[in-house]
Amino acid sequence: MSTTHIDRLRALLEPLAAQSGLDLEDVKVTQAGSRRQVQIDVDADGGVDLDTVAEFSRLVGEALDGSDVMGSGAYVLEVGSPGAERPLDLPRHWIRAEGRLAKIHLVDGGEIVARVLAADEDGALVEVQPVKGRGRAKERRLEYTEVARARVQVEFNRKDDEQLDELLEEGDDGAE
């Protein structure tokens, strides 16, 4: 059984990610001029901060330099997180997206925009947003087998419950 270059990289990086308390989400190698670019995405429950990414990047650099996985050619290492509009491919992605809005393409060809309310190993409870603001949002249980693909959506104007409570309290205090 032959292994690909990405498989060998993953075999080297998975233990480092686990040791750092991270999930290795994606590994890509592309040609950038005369050098190769190695792009690695990691994530964790609660997200990852810059210090964690920097420390993991240092560990990865040492591991790559100490192995023959990249050969003798030059490479550029880029370590980051999946980003704000991450795809929801695995149950852990759905769990981490609780409270977030997602665009979901269904296996039957339908498409919905829904807020992820809760998720487990088999599926997610979502609140389907009304089309064009008409009607009310409705809860729906989606099994992952019903989902062709899904991606978190960026919301610029959403106020979380805590912010809304604060705004309501400010409005009720009788201040000028």
Side-chain angles (χ1 to χ4, degrees):
M1 178 177 168
S2 73
T3 58
T4 67
H5 188 234
I6 296 296
D7 291 336
R8 290 190 304 274
L9 270 170
R10 280 189 165 279
L12 177 69
L13 300 175
E14 284 283 354
L16 291 175
Q19 165 190 329
S20 299
L22 301 169
D23 293 313
L24 184 64
E25 296 293 350
D26 197 16
V27 178
K28 292 180 192 163
V29 179
T30 55
Q31 195 67 35
S34 62
R35 295 185 284 187
R36 289 167 292 166
Q37 183 173 10
V38 181
Q39 295 172 295
I40 301 167
D41 286 340
V42 293
D43 202 4
D45 292 341
V48 293
D49 60 28
L50 288 176
D51 291 337
T52 303
V53 169
E55 177 60 21
F56 183 67
S57 182
R58 185 188 63 74
L59 289 172
V60 168
E62 289 173 0
L64 290 177
D65 291 346
S67 76
D68 64 349
V69 173
M70 293 304 295
S72 60
Y75 66 89
V76 175
L77 177 61
E78 187 178 297
V79 178
S81 67
E85 292 187 353
R86 71 158 314 132
L88 302 175
D89 297 325
L90 301 170
R92 72 173 179 250
H93 300 158
W94 287 86
I95 292 167
R96 289 175 182 158
E98 287 179 6
R100 304 283 309 272
L101 200 62
K103 187 173 194 176
I104 305 165
H105 298 268
L106 303 172
V107 172
D108 69 9
E111 179 182 296
I112 59 174
V113 175
R115 186 162 313 282
V116 180
L117 300 176
D120 57 36
E121 291 301 313
D122 301 313
L125 178 65
V126 298
E127 182 181 66
V128 180
Q129 304 302 304
V131 178
K132 296 182 182 177
R134 296 182 184 147
R136 293 183 179 204
K138 296 178 183 161
E139 287 187 8
R140 175 178 176 182
R141 171 75 183 179
L142 275 178
E143 300 301 317
Y144 299 135
T145 55
E146 297 177 72
V147 177
R149 67 185 187 280
R151 183 173 291 277
V152 169
Q153 299 295 288
V154 173
E155 292 181 88
F156 294 106
N157 296 334
R158 181 170 188 240
K159 292 186 176 20
D160 64 27
D161 292 339
E162 203 171 291
Q163 287 174 317
L164 287 173
D165 289 344
E166 288 174 16
L167 288 172
L168 289 172
E169 286 175 16
E170 288 173 13
D172 290 340
D173 67 3
E176 296 175 20

